[in-house]
Amino acid sequence: MPVYSISHVENVRVCVVMVGLPARGKSLIAQKIVRYLSWLSIKSKCFNVGSYRRKIAGVTGADADATFFSPNNEEGLKFRQEAVNQAIKDMMSWFLDENGVVGILDATNSTRDRRSKILKLCRENYIEPLFLESWCNDEDLIKQNILDVKTTSPDYINKDSEFALSDFMKRIKFYETNYQTLNQDIDSNLSFIKLVNVNTQIILNRIESYLESRIVYYVMNLHIKPRAIYLSRHGESLYNLTGKIGGDADLSERGWKYAKKLPELVLKSLGEENINTDLTVWTSTLNRTQQTASFLPYKNKLQWKALDELDAGECDGMTYEEIEKQFPEDFKARDDNKYEYRYRGGESYRDIVIRLEPIIMELERQENILIITHQAVLRCIYAYFMNVPQEESPWMSIPLHTLIKLEPRAYSTIVSRIKADIPAVSTYKEKGTSQLGEFDNITSKSRDLLKGSSDGK
Amino acid sequence: MPVYSISHVENVRVCVVMVGLPARGKSLIAQKIVRYLSWLSIKSKCFNVGSYRRKIAGVTGADADATFFSPNNEEGLKFRQEAVNQAIKDMMSWFLDENGVVGILDATNSTRDRRSKILKLCRENYIEPLFLESWCNDEDLIKQNILDVKTTSPDYINKDSEFALSDFMKRIKFYETNYQTLNQDIDSNLSFIKLVNVNTQIILNRIESYLESRIVYYVMNLHIKPRAIYLSRHGESLYNLTGKIGGDADLSERGWKYAKKLPELVLKSLGEENINTDLTVWTSTLNRTQQTASFLPYKNKLQWKALDELDAGECDGMTYEEIEKQFPEDFKARDDNKYEYRYRGGESYRDIVIRLEPIIMELERQENILIITHQAVLRCIYAYFMNVPQEESPWMSIPLHTLIKLEPRAYSTIVSRIKADIPAVSTYKEKGTSQLGEFDNITSKSRDLLKGSSDGK
């Protein structure tokens, strides 16, 4: 029997067909869905027709402007048609040959005719088509989106942003002439989600499968306000000092020092202009995270059981050396597949991801937040935001006494870290050894998660 | 710091204002929301205007028919207005004096005028109004609903169902004359959910708070197809024989007998006409539930970590007598508040409910299903379906070697049980003692969950 993960509930494949004029946030939504589902071990991929078009038609030269998208530009039309065809072909191969589960066709798909062709193709291949339209008539939102994203698009390399903005507005005009929005009556036989002005209004039609309803719920919870997420492990604990895992130990002397310094680190990281920002603080139910949070001046503090450290079951309270000695086969099995390995009577990384799912959903809704949790849990949260693959995430180094700041942007997340400059033992175990590093700040570059990470295109 | 539960995320109160013609399933939806939220410890209550009206105007006498609801019946109008006023007044007191979190006003609320009065009242009291309309033009669905529910309504005591049906149709006609459905443009400033023909189409407008989005997601997942949910504990385990809790023991000899007999019990319970029904089987990740499922002939078997037994932390593997001896204060604390008590390094009943929440959501979506799990987890699932209060649910007796069948109906759940007639030890511990009962079938009537249970009106 396979252990449950969301993807196994039904034997269903979904093709999410994005619909919408340019600059409606389609690619952003598509990429977030892929990241979320991949994190849940649901095989997902985005097929962006714009990238195909650039590959086929190129974008260099001074003549690359909106006229390419004119309905009267026959060559442009040909290239664009070819790009769509290629994207659809690749997507279908991916579904059929690579057992893809959720494929996203990221294009304007702006006419009913185009959509019904995709519909037909999906039905022939037993793939459920789910149309996802982002409709927006809020001019300010559209302009903001163009300035945020499109002016730095590969389509406008070496062009100034004023030209890019006005050219892009022209491009939109060309699409508007043929655009047919999803209609509750005409399209009532389709499964669709229509987002009106971001999430102000949402129309759901024939959302039937579990997977579709997960996608809907996720999309419903997305917001686009800028915000920061702060992550920290608890301060060094007495168990850390002796290399024991698990337990519910108190902080060490140095751990308390970190707890006392944490408010200052947070303020520094907020920056002067945001010094009065009210943070929500989440901890686990374990002493060491609550002690670490105890000097923070924020009122809104919550404990989550779901943020507790990975349960090591029978190995709780042991050192890695003891585990290697007492359960040599388990020790090796865990090194061989750390993501899937479940401690006897305890948990695997996969188990943590499942229990973290409601936390991630809630994090998508929240504004500024500070989470104080544990090494394995933090790895999983970090993996979600930074799109770290499963085989790597359990091996990332996340040192003690370091505050991590994540700033989600349209196509990437900016990471910065603030070290407390308070020494701590290393809790990082390299593959194939039971020895821990000497100090957490002496970590090999290769597994240092905090360098140049991005979930961008 | 309070341990997280969904209600604590925001300091928000929501008034769900039902909207819809009679026989659109409003009361059913309202009651399910109350049951779901209450199970999650969110204080919720439904205020049904029909019940107020019956209390005020009475329903006895041969003259109690649709004419009461005619817009020209001045006395009727007066009574109905009084009923609404009283219901709203009681709801507001409940919000303000009893710290209610989600109140549901279950009435037709069919005019924009009525709705804007409620809106105003909510805003004055800092309560978020969320309108929830059930709109339906599928005549068959409406008739079915009237026959299922309304013909047995207190309004039609001693009337035959043919009279009830036609009279009720007349009543609907009276409401139709004034009815104003929620409109995406006219009502675009309201927070609302509009369900069109059950869940075929759903329109969401300005769903902003977390609590609102939870309600939306729950309502989205409800379905109305008849189905059965089968629940069983694992067969007697080797730990059960020695009175130990927790662990991952194998089945005892009698436990294996139960496992072998289970397929026959299920078939018997399905009934001859449903003998080919394909059940989905869910187990925990522990040996004893998987062994219990091992003779079932169904292909679709899934393991859920979330169905694992309550984690007894440091007490795992101990008997109640040992726990009483070693941790006398904990033992007493658990007896005093079994729902909230969290084992050292382990879980409380409340923790189980939080991790079961996705299971319940998925159960609402599923059709026929068989769940093989553990005593504490089964108590929590049972408590959800049967609306058992928190202070009682951890004390319910759920004997070994017994298959429980739940059939959710509009306003109640039918429970039946099939005993395997294979003896097993008792795992039931009465409050205030560390002794277990002798046999599970000798349980005191007062805590026997399986008698006359219902979550009905």
Side-chain angles (χ1 to χ4, degrees), chain B residues 8 69 111 127-128 159 189 192 283 288 319 323 344:
Chain B
H8 295 133
F69 298 90
T111 63
I127 296 164
E128 282 187 21
K159 302 279 165 69
N189 64 327
F192 72 77
T283 66
R288 54 195 186 277
T319 65
I323 297 170
R344 294 163 181 244

Side-chain angles (χ1 to χ4, degrees), chain A residues 4 200 202 206 208 365, chain B residues 200 204 206 208 303 365:
Chain A
Y4 169 80
T200 310
I202 302 174
R206 295 193 184 279
E208 278 156 16
R365 299 183 53 83
Chain B
T200 310
L204 307 173
R206 297 193 183 276
E208 278 156 17
Q303 284 180 35
R365 299 183 53 83

Side-chain angles (χ1 to χ4, degrees), chain B residues 71-91:
Chain B
N72 305 318
N73 182 338
E74 276 187 33
E75 201 194 25
L77 276 176
K78 208 193 78 193
F79 279 133
R80 282 156 61 206
Q81 187 58 51
E82 211 177 308
V84 175
N85 293 347
Q86 192 60 46
I88 293 177
K89 200 179 143 213
D90 284 359
M91 184 174 68

Side-chain angles (χ1 to χ4, degrees), chain A residues 1-4 8-10 184 188 192 199-210 213-214 216-217 220-221 283 285 290 293 300-305 311 342 345-347 351 358 362 365-366, chain B residues 1-4 8-10 184 188 192 199-210 213-214 216-217 220-221 283 285 290 293 300-305 311 342 345-347 351 358 362 365-366:
Chain A
M1 280 193 251
V3 171
Y4 169 80
H8 294 133
V9 171
E10 294 162 325
Q184 285 159 261
S188 66
F192 72 76
N199 281 357
T200 310
Q201 192 169 90
I202 302 174
I203 298 157
L204 306 173
N205 196 70
R206 295 193 184 279
I207 301 301
E208 278 156 16
S209 74
Y210 177 67
S213 92
R214 292 303 312 179
V216 168
Y217 188 55
M220 272 171 58
N221 282 312
T283 66
T285 67
Q290 286 165 56
N300 200 358
K301 292 180 186 174
L302 284 174
Q303 284 181 35
W304 293 75
K305 182 87 184 161
D311 181 356
R342 175 181 283 159
E347 291 180 303
D351 293 331
E362 186 51 21
R365 299 183 53 83
Q366 290 279 335
Chain B
M1 280 194 253
V3 172
Y4 169 80
H8 295 133
V9 171
E10 294 162 323
Q184 287 160 257
S188 66
F192 72 77
N199 281 357
T200 310
Q201 192 170 89
I202 303 174
I203 298 156
L204 307 173
N205 197 68
R206 297 193 183 276
I207 302 300
E208 278 156 17
S209 74
Y210 177 67
S213 93
R214 293 302 313 177
V216 167
Y217 187 55
M220 270 171 59
N221 282 314
T283 66
T285 67
Q290 287 166 55
N300 200 358
K301 292 181 186 173
L302 283 175
Q303 284 180 35
W304 294 75
K305 182 86 185 161
D311 180 356
R342 175 181 283 160
E347 291 181 304
D351 292 331
E362 186 51 22
R365 299 183 53 83
Q366 290 280 334

Side-chain angles (χ1 to χ4, degrees), chain A residues 97-115:
Chain A
D97 305 336
E98 298 182 47
N99 297 313
V101 179
V102 177
I104 306 190
L105 185 64
D106 181 14
T108 52
N109 297 310
S110 50
T111 64
R112 212 155 264 127
D113 178 55
R114 159 72 53 81
R115 296 196 290 265

